[in-house]
Amino acid sequence: MSEVTTYFAAFCGVFFTLAVYTFLYKENPWSRFAEYAFIGTAAGYDIAYSLDWLRGQWEGTWSTTTSGTIAFIFAMLVSLLWYFRFSKRFFWLYRIALAVVVGTGIGLALRTVV
């Protein structure tokens, strides 16, 4: 890394550390900015990491057969149903995804009991 990048990274680290510690005095715009910057960065990193993992799953095992492709598409559609939890109008679609997950969990648990 170049010197400018190193100094900028150190400056950001010091700035955000002090901004977080200002919360000890009382809540202020600096601590709020540091909190929101952390949450935004963590959410962005999580989305990028999840999409990279999803691409790796697709390239590795699911894309080799037709039945694997259909199962992958079905899993993606069921996983998208989780977001209907935030809609009053389409809340009933969220229950489908919840039923699939609960049914799968109960089936896997009962398999070991019997």
Side-chain angles (χ1 to χ4, degrees):
M1 285 194 339
S2 68
E3 267 188 55
V4 175
T5 309
T6 304
Y7 288 137
F8 181 71
F11 174 77
C12 286
V14 169
F15 172 76
F16 282 111
T17 301
L18 292 175
V20 167
Y21 277 128
T22 61
F23 183 76
L24 296 174
Y25 174 63
K26 65 178 183 178
E27 187 165 346
N28 56 53
W30 296 109
S31 65
R32 203 172 304 128
F33 173 74
E35 178 184 0
Y36 293 159
F38 174 76
I39 290 172
T41 305
Y45 180 81
D46 182 52
I47 289 171
Y49 186 79
S50 297
L51 288 176
D52 183 55
W53 179 83
L54 189 64
R55 186 179 51 94
Q57 289 292 314
W58 170 255
E59 291 173 350
T61 55
W62 296 92
S63 64
T64 56
T65 63
T66 306
S67 62
T69 303
I70 292 171
F72 187 80
I73 291 171
F74 177 73
M76 289 300 103
L77 291 176
V78 170
S79 67
L80 288 176
L81 291 176
W82 282 100
Y83 289 105
F84 287 108
R85 180 179 191 270
F86 304 111
S87 170
K88 289 183 180 180
R89 183 174 176 195
F90 296 109
F91 184 78
W92 61 275
L93 289 171
Y94 159 74
R95 293 179 182 167
I96 296 171
L98 186 64
V100 169
V101 170
V102 169
T104 304
I106 290 174
L108 289 172
L110 288 178
R111 176 180 60 98
T112 60
V113 171
V114 173

